Amino acid sequence: EIRLSLVGSEMCIRDRYQRRVRENQMSIVSASELFIYNTLFEGLAAILGLVRPSFLFTGSELSSSGREAATWWSCAALVLAVNTALGAHIPDDDEGKKVIGKGMLIYHTLLTFFMIIRVITRFSFFNFITLIGHSFFFYSFYEYVMTR
């Protein structure tokens, strides 16, 4: 139903919202936003890991092998950030983007379980925030993969 009081721009906003609801089935974010947010999340974690390995490992874990592991993990996270940044610009219906989305779903599934164990065994604010982040991306990539 259309009210006569709606002007053109208000109708466009309403129609755009209704189309997005139909297309995304009320997803949290659009596919491109999901890839961009994941880029920021992974990029920030990578930079923190490279600059301050103590964000990833604590106490006795900061041995030389712990620092090396933090460096390798940070480099891997940086690669994921670049991967999802590039994926954000691929059209949503492209097969390549769907494959990237499935890979990110597997990645965030594994890290969500890892972070649950990490929070239970070594609670820290950073681990808790990381768990929340990976849980969000797990759910979002699950929704993205299942609705395509």
Side-chain angles (χ1 to χ4, degrees):
E1 68 186 40
I2 298 176
R3 295 183 320 185
L4 295 176
S5 62
L6 291 177
V7 296
S9 62
E10 290 172 330
M11 289 183 354
C12 288
I13 292 169
R14 182 205 59 203
D15 293 344
R16 185 175 353 133
Y17 173 75
Q18 288 175 350
R19 184 173 53 248
R20 184 172 177 182
V21 168
R22 282 192 308 273
E23 291 172 356
N24 294 331
Q25 301 172 350
M26 285 303 290
S27 63
I28 294 175
V29 294
S30 72
S32 294
E33 291 170 333
L34 171 61
F35 279 70
I36 290 169
Y37 294 153
N38 190 78
T39 298
L40 296 173
F41 181 75
E42 295 298 336
L44 179 62
I47 291 168
L48 284 174
L50 288 171
V51 175
R52 298 235 6 226
S54 60
F55 277 117
L56 304 176
F57 298 97
T58 57
S60 62
E61 295 176 330
L62 274 176
S63 63
S64 61
S65 60
R67 289 182 190 277
E68 186 176 339
T71 301
W72 280 107
W73 178 88
S74 297
C75 291
L78 200 53
V79 168
L80 285 172
V82 170
N83 182 36
T84 52
L86 295 173
H89 302 292
I90 299 172
D92 289 346
D93 59 347
D94 185 83
E95 282 301 313
K97 191 166 191 170
K98 293 175 190 173
V99 171
I100 294 170
K102 289 177 183 176
M104 295 308 296
L105 174 61
I106 293 167
Y107 167 76
H108 286 293
T109 301
L110 294 173
L111 278 178
T112 297
F113 287 123
F114 172 75
M115 289 311 300
I116 289 170
I117 293 167
R118 186 94 173 147
V119 165
I120 291 170
T121 59
R122 291 181 190 254
F123 183 83
S124 73
F125 182 71
F126 178 78
N127 287 344
F128 181 72
I129 294 300
T130 304
L131 171 62
I132 298 299
H134 284 297
S135 300
F136 167 78
F137 287 112
F138 162 75
Y139 175 77
S140 299
F141 276 107
Y142 175 80
E143 183 181 60
Y144 170 73
V145 168
M146 292 306 180
T147 58
R148 300 288 185 272

